[in-house]
Amino acid sequence: MATGHFPGRTSHGVNWSAPGAGKPLCENGAPWILYLLEECVDNMWEYLSVVIGLVSMFCFLLSTLPQVCVAYRNGKVEEAMSFGFLFFLFSGDLTNFAGCYLTGQLPIQVVAVIFYIFTDLILISQFLYYKIKNNSSKKIPLLKWLCFMWCGAGTLLLLALPKIIISNATVTAQGLGADRKSVKLAGFICGYMATIFYLLSRFPQLYKNFQRRSTEGTSYLLFALAMMGNGTYGLSVMLVLPALRGSKQAFILNHLAWLIGSMGVLILDFFVTAQFILYRNNRTCKSSALTSSTEVEPLLCEDEEQSVL
């Protein structure tokens, strides 16, 4: 989820213009982009960049949902997922959010990153819930209710937080004055920290898969959608360059942290894909009997062992 800046909106040569005397804000720009992203786009390259950037954001928004479903059906998420992967992913989204907030990114980006954090918390909550449940010798009814309450509170916060943050960001930006440069620098530092966290997130999961010689219990769509999101993000940034009126070098430097994160994670996800291919036939007795009744599964396995002996 290494998205930080929306490619079209920087101070290095986009068609962004404040309203002048008797002059409309954006004469030839796409109205829906102006309304949705507050950005004036009046040429093909920038238009394609924005559309592909939205595709990238949509991929990231959907990426964790398949894993949530797999974990719910499987109930053994703590055996399949690495907590290090979830922790670094969550840390990356937190610092990504800080970077977007401090550098004054678009409202749609702020909302998207908050959604990323929310889905991270769902994954972490699932992990902890099933770890406690599966390691406990007796049922804990309170655990389920606590989980429901936590998800409900998180949903309410998800609905209210974007409005509060965007309003505060506008007030903060107006009162910064001379400190604006230092705040923006802190935002870019957060962007590089997010890149490091995103890159680190893949290594614990790669090791977990290698250790188990299996990818069972993890959804490949999580990584496939992340690959699509990172690939389209990098493409959306590059498409701006032909139409750029300012310095191309300054533009790339402005997006460098997020580009490194996107391309680096994309490369690492190819290794995850290789593991899914290599370990696709590594099925345990338990997983091969998953389509049958779960309660008779251990007996079937035991009978097979006795017949071999």
Side-chain angles (χ1 to χ4, degrees):
M1 295 183 187
T3 56
H5 284 64
F6 213 86
R9 192 194 190 194
T10 70
S11 58
H12 303 293
V14 295
N15 298 323
W16 175 263
S17 57
K23 181 182 177 181
L25 177 67
C26 185
E27 291 181 338
N28 302 318
W32 69 271
I33 296 177
L34 182 64
Y35 175 78
L36 183 64
L37 303 176
E38 302 176 0
E39 183 180 346
C40 186
V41 171
D42 62 358
N43 65 73
M44 181 190 66
W45 293 109
E46 289 177 356
Y47 187 88
L48 286 174
S49 173
V50 169
V51 171
I52 294 174
L54 287 173
V55 170
S56 171
M57 192 173 289
F58 186 70
C59 290
F60 284 124
L61 288 174
L62 293 179
S63 62
T64 55
L65 298 182
Q67 182 58 44
V68 170
C69 295
V70 168
Y72 177 77
R73 292 198 312 266
N74 187 282
K76 294 288 184 181
V77 63
E78 82 283 0
E79 295 179 5
M81 298 291 292
S82 166
F83 186 75
F85 168 72
L86 299 175
F87 173 77
F88 285 123
L89 192 64
F90 178 63
S91 301
D93 285 334
L94 276 180
T95 48
N96 191 5
F97 165 73
C100 287
Y101 180 78
L102 292 173
T103 55
Q105 296 306 303
L106 297 172
I108 192 173
Q109 289 176 259
V110 177
V111 173
V113 176
I114 291 172
F115 186 88
Y116 301 157
I117 293 171
F118 177 71
T119 53
D120 291 343
L121 289 174
I122 294 294
L123 284 173
I124 293 171
S125 298
Q126 271 192 321
F127 182 94
L128 295 176
Y129 171 78
Y130 284 114
K131 189 172 182 66
I132 295 170
K133 180 184 175 183
N134 295 334
N135 290 341
S136 177
S137 57
K138 57 182 180 180
K139 293 184 178 180
I140 311 173
L142 183 62
L143 185 63
K144 185 178 289 186
W145 285 108
L146 283 173
C147 190
F148 281 129
M149 288 173 63
W150 165 251
C151 292
T155 303
L156 292 174
L157 190 63
L158 179 69
L159 295 173
L161 200 58
K163 179 68 176 176
I164 297 170
I165 289 172
I166 291 166
S167 300
N168 290 341
T170 304
V171 174
T172 305
Q174 291 172 351
L176 284 174
D179 294 332
R180 180 63 184 163
K181 286 186 178 180
S182 59
V183 172
K184 199 167 184 178
L185 177 62
F188 283 119
I189 291 172
C190 287
Y192 279 101
M193 288 177 64
T195 293
I196 293 170
F197 284 131
Y198 286 138
L199 291 172
L200 287 175
S201 69
R202 286 337 191 238
F203 291 102
Q205 190 61 44
L206 283 166
Y207 179 72
K208 183 88 172 180
N209 295 340
F210 174 76
Q211 198 175 35
R212 296 192 307 141
R213 296 294 194 278
S214 174
T215 55
E216 188 182 353
T218 55
S219 171
Y220 180 64
L221 278 176
L222 168 65
F223 300 98
L225 287 169
M227 290 171 72
M228 288 177 63
N230 283 313
T232 50
Y233 173 75
L235 179 60
S236 69
V237 173
M238 292 297 105
L239 282 173
V240 176
L241 293 177
L244 202 63
R245 299 188 180 97
S247 168
K248 289 181 173 59
Q249 184 178 4
F251 177 83
I252 291 194
L253 286 174
N254 196 43
H255 292 84
L256 187 60
W258 287 271
L259 281 171
I260 292 172
S262 292
M263 296 302 102
V265 172
L266 178 62
I267 292 169
L268 290 174
D269 280 342
F270 277 112
F271 288 99
V272 177
T273 300
Q275 287 185 322
F276 271 89
I277 295 170
L278 288 171
Y279 302 144
R280 67 186 182 277
N281 295 323
N282 291 6
R283 299 285 181 178
T284 61
C285 178
K286 183 175 182 178
S287 64
S288 61
L290 201 60
T291 54
S292 61
S293 173
T294 308
E295 294 182 2
V296 301
E297 175 189 306
L299 296 175
L300 292 174
C301 293
E302 188 176 354
D303 290 341
E304 288 175 5
E305 291 176 0
Q306 289 177 356
S307 64
V308 171
L309 292 174

